[in-house]
Amino acid sequence: MHRSGVVLSSKMAAEQVKNPGLELGMKKTELNDNSGDNLDNELVELNLGELDLTSDEFILDEVDTHIQENLEDELVKEALKTGVDLRHYSRQVEKELQQVENASIQDYIKEAHNIASLHNQITACDSILERMEQMLSGFQTDLSSISSEIQSLQDQSLSMNIKLKNRQAVRGELSQFVDELVVPEVMVNAILDAPVTQRQFLEQLHELNHKINFVKEQSFKEAVACRDVQDILEKLKLKAITKIREFLLQKIYQFRKPMTNYQVPQNAMLKFRFFYEFLLANERHVAKECRDEYIDTMSKMYYSYFKGYTSRLMKLQYEEVADKDDLMGVEDTAKKGFFSKPSLKNRSTIFTLGNRGNVITTELEAPIIVPHAAQKSETRYSFESLFRSQHFALVDNACCEYLFSVEFYLVQGSPAQDLFNAVFGKTLSMFLKHMDVYTSDCFDAIAIYLCIHIIYRYQVLMHKRIVPALDKYWETLLEVLWPRFSYILDLNIQSIRDCDPQKLGSIDVRPHYITRRYAEFSSALISLNQTFPDERVDQLLAQLQAEVENFILRMAAEFPLRKEQLVFLINNYDMMLGVLMERTSEESKETESFQQLLQARTQEFVEEILAPHFGGMIAFVKETEGALERGQTEQVKNQDARITKLVRGFAVNWKQAIDVINQEVMRSFTNFKNGTQILQVTLTQLIQYYHRFQKVLSQSPFKGLQVRGELINIHHVMVEVKKNKPTF
């Protein structure tokens, strides 16, 4: 009990320290417990005694506040309401409290053992908590040290990670460096023992070339490790160069075998083009040796092949070729003599294109001519066919050679052209010399012009194949052919200019063979010139046409009658116009010119053939129409006798005259279609004249003539004319 009182007192003291107002409350409770009449006084005295404040006013306020708070207590309020005597009530409460206290003491005594046990447990708990506090303090200290250790480990880990990355980077670089430097045994065995044609040798050669380049690069950086492998790499390089040189020279020597298809060994060499690249990178003088050997070999092979092929090819040309006497203005009888050769069956026509144009169309890329096969079949060819075969073989071989040189010898542009010229130079010079010799004796203008167009087309073909190797050769060849072509045309023009009609023997109104030559020749050149137009050809053809027109006029002048002259001119113009329109696909200047000449001469012929039968009527119509237009009416009067003669003469002879005209026209012109057209023009002109004649007679000066009633109805004339109209 005493321990409990001590505990309670200590607790209360603690509460008082923490809360000074608690003491006042407890005092108030003691006041309520006091009984007697002096309760109020003691309460005030107690309160005033305990409240030692500096201000009396403050003390009174505090007392009033405490009193007010006690009066607001529920128990106090209830006691005041019931009117209970507070002293009695206080004593009763005090008694009850005494009883409760006594009961509490008894309870404490009964529970003394438990309280003591509780005290011991609390003491033990305090010791346990003290030890736990010590343990936690130690744990906290350990955690602090662990945190610093973790921070230290993190720093160490970061440092180790950086070192690892640096070592890995160094290892990667160093590993690659070592791999680049190390010469494996596989490489050594392959370079020394494997044949150069095996894939293993080629692969190891690539690797060796890479290592050589790497060591050269590192040597400039003063890498000491390179010294360890330089010696073995140098030995392997020399061994590889030796084997490659032997292999390439062996392949080059294969070209020297007779009847060799050059493309086969070239394709074989292309599979090993890295060999030359290796030589070029590591031993230039050996690479130059191999290339010079190739150039020398191929130059001789191509020259020998094309020289023999050209020689055998030219033996297939027609035996009789055009010479200086085979000109347009030379008469056919000029070459006939006792010792002249008969015309060959297969001789190409000098002035006619015919099937010769196939050489630039369907036969342009045809297989080349095989000389021994043609000799067996006794086949002969024109020069342009031989030229095509010769140069198509050149085009094929030149394209293959140029593309091979570019790919194998690793050259482009000007170096590639120089290499090609070194191989084909002698062959091309031989070709140019051959063409120069041939053209100097050639008088076949169509053959020369066909060769020019073959060159144009082969230029296009090679550009499609992206091979400019022969561009200079084509230009040089054209410089040889064009002057000769112009010279031959000038000779033909001069031959026509110098042609004397009186030396040509007897002539008739039919088309002359010289004009036919011109028509065939000009149509051939015009049709060829349409694909690759050239002003030089147009100028030469214009000169030739002018000379031919003059020649025709000179020939026509040999006929005594104007009508025969016109028939001759019309026949020749019509023949030339027909050939030109048939052979050329477009309207040409020559065609337009001859159409105008033909129309003019046809109109003049119509007037000429009508004159013998209806000349009087035609003259009367023209004179009278002119006089009436000028208003000279008196001048046309007093012509009754003339008009009567004209009207009655027409009525008697018009049908017979039409028949005569019909027969004469159809007999005069070699071209039936042209003759029929001229006849229709003639009869149409006759009807127009007769219509004009009737119209003149219907004018006022002639209305009184009786003979007007004898005029033949124009419809009768038209019906008769229609009978002569062609049915086709």
Side-chain angles (χ1 to χ4, degrees), residues 551-570:
F551 168 74
I552 295 174
L553 294 177
R554 295 200 303 271
M555 290 287 293
E558 297 296 317
F559 294 96
L561 300 178
R562 181 57 181 168
K563 184 168 63 176
E564 291 179 343
Q565 295 176 0
L566 293 173
V567 170
F568 176 80
L569 292 174
I570 291 172

Side-chain angles (χ1 to χ4, degrees), residues 298-357:
M298 295 307 297
S299 176
K300 292 177 180 178
M301 292 300 101
Y302 280 125
Y303 178 78
S304 176
Y305 166 73
F306 279 106
K307 183 178 181 181
Y309 181 71
T310 302
S311 176
R312 292 191 299 272
L313 207 59
M314 295 309 295
K315 294 178 181 179
L316 302 177
Q317 189 178 4
Y318 292 121
E319 293 183 4
E320 186 174 341
V321 296
D323 56 23
K324 61 182 180 180
D325 293 326
D326 291 314
L327 300 175
M328 195 175 296
V330 176
E331 59 272 19
D332 280 344
T333 58
K335 292 185 65 177
K336 291 182 180 180
F338 184 77
F339 295 102
S340 62
K341 297 182 180 179
S343 297
L344 296 178
K345 181 179 181 181
N346 292 328
R347 181 188 178 191
S348 60
T349 307
I350 299 173
F351 302 105
T352 306
L353 184 62
N355 294 329
R356 298 171 72 183

Side-chain angles (χ1 to χ4, degrees), residues 516-545:
R516 177 166 291 279
R517 289 176 184 173
Y518 163 77
E520 296 284 353
F521 182 76
S522 60
S523 63
L525 296 186
I526 291 170
S527 62
L528 293 175
N529 196 47
Q530 288 172 351
T531 53
F532 289 90
D534 195 293
E535 293 183 359
R536 290 173 289 185
V537 178
D538 294 333
Q539 295 173 359
L540 291 170
L541 287 175
Q543 297 177 20
L544 182 61
Q545 179 187 352

Side-chain angles (χ1 to χ4, degrees), residues 113-125:
H113 178 71
N114 293 334
I115 291 172
S117 176
L118 179 62
H119 176 72
N120 295 331
Q121 291 178 4
I122 290 173
T123 304
C125 185

Side-chain angles (χ1 to χ4, degrees), residues 20-36:
L22 179 60
E23 182 180 1
L24 293 175
M26 293 177 65
K27 294 295 183 178
K28 289 180 181 179
T29 306
E30 291 178 1
L31 287 175
N32 290 332
D33 294 340
N34 291 331
S35 60

Side-chain angles (χ1 to χ4, degrees), residues 317-419:
Q317 189 178 4
Y318 292 121
E319 293 183 4
E320 186 174 341
V321 296
D323 56 23
K324 61 182 180 180
D325 293 326
D326 291 314
L327 300 175
M328 195 175 296
V330 176
E331 59 272 19
D332 280 344
T333 58
K335 292 185 65 177
K336 291 182 180 180
F338 184 77
F339 295 102
S340 62
K341 297 182 180 179
S343 297
L344 296 178
K345 181 179 181 181
N346 292 328
R347 181 188 178 191
S348 60
T349 307
I350 299 173
F351 302 105
T352 306
L353 184 62
N355 294 329
R356 298 171 72 183
N358 294 339
V359 76
I360 60 172
T361 54
T362 58
E363 299 176 2
L364 183 65
E365 297 184 42
I368 64 174
I369 298 172
V370 182
H372 65 270
Q375 287 177 352
K376 287 182 180 180
S377 61
E378 297 183 355
T379 306
R380 295 288 177 172
Y381 297 92
S382 59
F383 176 74
E384 62 270 12
S385 296
L386 304 178
F387 180 88
R388 182 213 68 86
S389 180
Q390 179 190 31
H391 282 81
F392 188 58
L394 174 65
V395 167
D396 270 351
N397 283 275
C399 288
C400 292
E401 182 61 36
Y402 182 82
L403 295 175
F404 170 80
S405 300
V406 167
E407 190 170 358
F408 187 83
Y409 290 106
L410 308 174
V411 288
Q412 294 287 343
S414 180
Q417 185 65 48
D418 294 340
L419 179 58

Side-chain angles (χ1 to χ4, degrees), residues 204-238:
Q204 294 304 321
L205 187 67
H206 277 277
E207 189 65 24
L208 175 62
N209 188 57
H210 177 72
K211 289 184 182 297
I212 292 172
N213 293 332
F214 181 78
V215 169
K216 286 181 181 178
E217 180 182 352
Q218 295 302 320
S219 297
F220 289 117
K221 298 179 181 179
E222 298 181 356
V224 180
C226 295
R227 302 173 186 173
D228 298 335
V229 295
Q230 281 180 340
D231 185 53
I232 187 171
L233 288 178
E234 185 67 21
K235 292 178 180 179
L236 289 176
K237 182 184 76 171
L238 294 176

